[in-house]
Amino acid sequence: MNHFDIQPLNRFVTGENASIRRPKEIAFFSYDDAHEFHLDDRSLRYYYPPTIGADLSKGFDSFQQLDDTADDHLDSLLKTIIDFETRTGEKCQADLITWRGMMTKIMAIPFDMFNGFEVNATRFQDTIFIEENHAHKLQSRDAQHHQVSRPGTASQDLMSYWGYKFETLALIPAPWAETSRDYIESREDLVVNNYAQYCSVVRTGIGKSKLILGGEVDALWDAKPSRTDDPIDWVELKTAATPLCDRDVLKYERKLLKFWIQSFLLGVPRIIVGFRSKDGILQSLEELETSQIPRLVKQRGKGTWDGNSCINFTATFLDWLKSTVVGEGVWRIRKRDKSTVIEVFRIEESGHGNILSREFFEWRSQPGHGHVS
């Protein structure tokens, strides 16, 4: 059993800050309205402001919710990498390949000590591939759903729906000039469906570690730039309860940690927050620049978290992880609830489990596609 100590946090505050590499989109894919995979941008959406006063509960009974109880592993991300390598003749070389959500869990650890997580990892051709431990994910979700809501508060399912409803109210399928007024004004009546997603695959880096990350992005502000090296004006959509007291402000500030990390990792420059009443009525909008959120928390907030500490922690942990997950096999990376250590241990002595799809393993095992470790 290998242990990485999270405390003391001050060792991630002092000294030189870790370098970061601006995320650059190298590929993308879509899930359509039936959640079928496609190597194109058919599910790309555009932002157009929603109507203030909209009822986020409307249509809850007809919500078409994706059943994600099956374990999809990294399959869609790996398919996209195969396509990229086929088209460009360039190997996606990285120290770590994973979904954005896995890196969000790691990066938030210094200021999210209460929550635990479990992920699985394997090393192949000098790259560590990380996926969520699906059984633990389902157990955690089941426990959350069985929590009794406080009197006067909405259920977990309804509050989750509010987020998807807000996205439906704030998105259009084409740029504004190409979208009819009827469509824009009828968004409140659309059936909410969370099957469709546009997923961006980016190359980025934190400290000495090179990363390939895949994750969903909500919308474009206007259009993708003609030069592929230029940053993309993405928009992330979030909902939050309208703060009514100091306790609410503190709660919102803590939510901003995840908001910032999620957008930071994929290079999303702008976040639109829809503030709602306790009954789910959209009351106001706030536009945040992702790069400015840590400064706002430090200067105007309660100082509940520090962005540089998150980056420095992540850089240090990834360096340690690269020296710990070596050779074949499947490894578990685990942080228990309220624990101050991250545990890393091998759960399978050989192979790669189901973390690597057979298609990807065979592709990379062909002559000229890299040395199999």
Side-chain angles (χ1 to χ4, degrees), residues 61-87:
D61 292 341
S62 60
F63 179 32
Q64 296 177 357
Q65 185 173 14
L66 176 67
D67 179 3
D68 63 352
T69 54
D71 191 349
D72 293 331
H73 301 286
L74 298 175
D75 292 3
S76 296
L77 177 56
L78 299 182
K79 283 182 182 178
T80 308
I81 290 174
I82 292 172
D83 178 72
F84 172 85
E85 294 180 346
T86 302
R87 288 185 292 103

Side-chain angles (χ1 to χ4, degrees), residues 293-317:
I293 292 176
R295 182 183 62 82
L296 293 174
V297 169
K298 181 177 291 187
Q299 294 181 356
R300 290 168 28 192
K302 306 292 184 180
T304 56
W305 57 272
D306 176 73
N308 282 334
S309 296
C310 292
I311 294 170
N312 294 337
F313 166 84
T314 303
T316 303
F317 173 72

Side-chain angles (χ1 to χ4, degrees), residues 96-280:
L96 187 143
I97 293 177
T98 189
W99 295 116
R100 180 259 311 267
M102 303 304 98
M103 280 303 302
T104 300
K105 294 177 187 292
I106 292 170
M107 200 166 170
I109 286 174
F111 302 99
D112 187 24
M113 298 295 293
F114 180 80
N115 294 307
F117 69 86
E118 288 188 14
V119 299
N120 297 327
T122 192
R123 193 181 193 102
F124 176 60
Q125 295 181 347
D126 293 327
T127 297
I128 297 173
F129 296 78
I130 296 179
E131 67 169 15
E132 189 155 24
N133 179 8
H134 195 65
H136 181 266
K137 169 187 171 182
L138 296 181
Q139 291 170 3
S140 300
R141 181 188 299 172
D142 186 61
Q144 185 179 42
H145 283 175
H146 281 86
Q147 290 179 351
V148 178
S149 299
R150 297 194 310 273
T153 61
S155 68
Q156 291 287 335
D157 287 343
L158 181 56
M159 286 195 287
S160 177
Y161 173 78
W162 287 345
Y164 293 119
K165 180 68 173 181
F166 178 64
E167 291 179 9
T168 302
L169 294 172
L171 299 177
I172 52 178
W176 171 77
E178 302 170 22
T179 304
S180 70
R181 175 58 55 182
D182 285 344
Y183 183 92
I184 292 174
E185 295 179 349
S186 65
R187 287 178 294 174
E188 288 187 50
D189 299 320
L190 294 175
V191 174
V192 178
N193 175 325
N194 70 335
Y195 284 55
Q197 298 174 15
Y198 174 93
C199 295
S200 182
V201 178
V202 305
R203 179 182 281 129
T204 185
I206 299 177
K208 300 174 184 176
S209 299
K210 298 176 181 178
L211 315 176
I212 299 290
L213 304 177
E216 180 185 8
V217 291
D218 290 327
L220 272 171
W221 182 260
D222 39 35
K224 280 190 174 183
S226 55
R227 280 171 34 93
T228 56
D229 285 338
D230 291 342
I232 303 174
D233 205 357
W234 295 120
V235 178
E236 180 75 13
L237 300 172
K238 297 293 185 182
T239 57
T242 301
L244 301 176
C245 60
D246 285 346
R247 182 180 177 183
D248 292 344
V249 172
L250 193 63
K251 185 177 180 181
Y252 176 60
E253 184 174 303
R254 286 173 174 153
K255 289 187 82 168
L256 282 176
L257 172 62
K258 293 287 182 68
F259 291 2
W260 170 70
I261 292 174
Q262 289 171 346
S263 293
F264 169 85
L265 287 172
L266 287 190
V268 177
R270 194 188 315 245
I271 303 171
I272 305 293
V273 181
F275 287 104
R276 53 158 182 83
S277 70
K278 64 181 180 63
D279 300 318

